[in-house]
Amino acid sequence: GQNIDQPTEMTATEGAIVQINCTYQTSGFNGLFWYQQHAGEAPTFLSYNVLDGLEEKGRFSSFLSRSKGYSYLLLKELQMKDSASYLCAVVDSNYQLIWGAGTKLIIKP
Amino acid sequence: IAGITQAPTSQILAAGRRMTLRCTQDMRHNAMYWYRQDLGLGLRLIHYSNTAGTTGKGEVPDGYSVSRANTDDFPLTLASAVPSQTSVYFCASSDSIAGGSNEQFFGPGTRLTVL
């Protein structure tokens, strides 16, 4: 079967750095997305990785290792507005997105 | 304003009733999707459409039907609602379904409660 694993919840301090991990086992791989979802709102796109390595976009970076079936989202200089759920999703061989359950990130002052 | 709209925002429905959730996008995207999101679970694909006139079944299609008469609209119908269909429903669209980098854009969601 297909499986995406993320931690259920993480807590971090404002101004700090946090890494949210995602491991996956899917039928085929055509890329990996990270989305942000604030409570009661729709998911919004953060990043896309298809090749191994680190993609940096401002305070957010995303890393992919296809051989290990592993990705992480790195958030730097945390702000209170970063409190949200972070969803990892893999594009499978049918170009469908397989979603993880999401990681709820709580930022404390 | 470009984007995706969904209606209604929320609905309480008696079991056994028929209900259609509406979704409209103005980005001229070819592909559209319906997901349900339940606490503790990832988004699960109900139905999708690669292009106007075609539809396909996702992971959890039972009890739901869709149509895609034109590019912009992708309604989701519950023929006879059951309590297990209580969920938040998201409609999404992307430029195409092929090519992994096609970001999906999401509507604001419909919160449905079936009693």
Side-chain angles (χ1 to χ4, degrees):
Chain A
Q2 309 206 88
N3 195 49
I4 311 285
D5 284 319
Q6 309 177 230
T8 302
E9 187 174 295
M10 299 181 70
T11 302
T13 304
E14 190 177 16
I17 299 173
V18 70
Q19 178 176 311
I20 302 173
N21 296 325
C22 171
T23 58
Y24 62 88
Q25 291 177 309
T26 57
S27 59
F29 179 84
N30 284 297
L32 184 146
F33 285 92
W34 283 96
Y35 277 76
Q36 181 189 58
Q37 185 177 24
H38 284 101
E41 297 183 7
T44 55
F45 170 80
L46 284 178
S47 67
Y48 172 75
N49 294 68
V50 67
L51 300 177
D52 290 352
L54 188 68
E55 295 277 345
E56 297 187 79
K57 189 184 295 184
R59 293 189 299 115
F60 292 7
S61 303
S62 55
F63 172 83
L64 174 67
S65 169
R66 288 172 297 172
S67 63
K68 295 181 178 179
Y70 168 69
S71 173
Y72 67 72
L73 181 69
L74 191 71
L75 290 74
K76 303 176 185 177
E77 302 170 13
L78 286 170
Q79 302 175 8
M80 297 304 292
K81 68 179 182 179
D82 297 330
S83 292
S85 288
Y86 291 86
L87 314 181
C88 173
V90 172
V91 186
D92 72 5
S93 57
N94 294 317
Y95 293 99
Q96 301 289 0
L97 284 180
I98 309 301
W99 295 82
T103 298
K104 182 178 180 180
L105 178 64
I106 299 168
I107 310 296
K108 296 186 174 180
Chain B
I1 298 176
I4 302 180
T5 58
Q6 292 184 235
T9 303
S10 65
Q11 181 76 45
I12 298 174
L13 190 66
R17 297 297 295 270
R18 180 184 179 90
M19 175 74 190
T20 295
L21 308 185
R22 300 185 297 279
C23 175
T24 300
Q25 55 103 358
D26 63 2
M27 296 177 284
R28 307 304 293 173
H29 282 168
N30 288 307
M32 297 187 75
Y33 315 84
W34 274 105
Y35 291 96
R36 59 178 291 171
Q37 187 174 40
D38 303 291
L39 197 63
L41 300 176
L43 288 161
R44 292 184 290 169
L45 184 65
I46 304 171
H47 286 285
Y48 65 92
S49 169
N50 292 344
T51 188
T54 68
T55 62
K57 294 182 179 180
E59 180 186 356
V60 289
D62 294 343
Y64 305 94
S65 63
V66 292
S67 62
R68 186 88 184 278
N70 57 60
T71 298
D72 299 344
D73 301 300
F74 191 43
L76 176 74
T77 298
L78 289 68
S80 179
V82 295
S84 62
Q85 292 177 312
T86 293
S87 188
V88 179
Y89 291 86
F90 286 103
C91 179
S93 71
S94 66
D95 185 44
S96 73
I97 198 164
S101 64
N102 285 294
E103 169 194 348
Q104 290 187 13
F105 294 83
F106 285 79
T110 294
R111 184 174 298 274
L112 182 67
T113 302
V114 182
L115 301 176

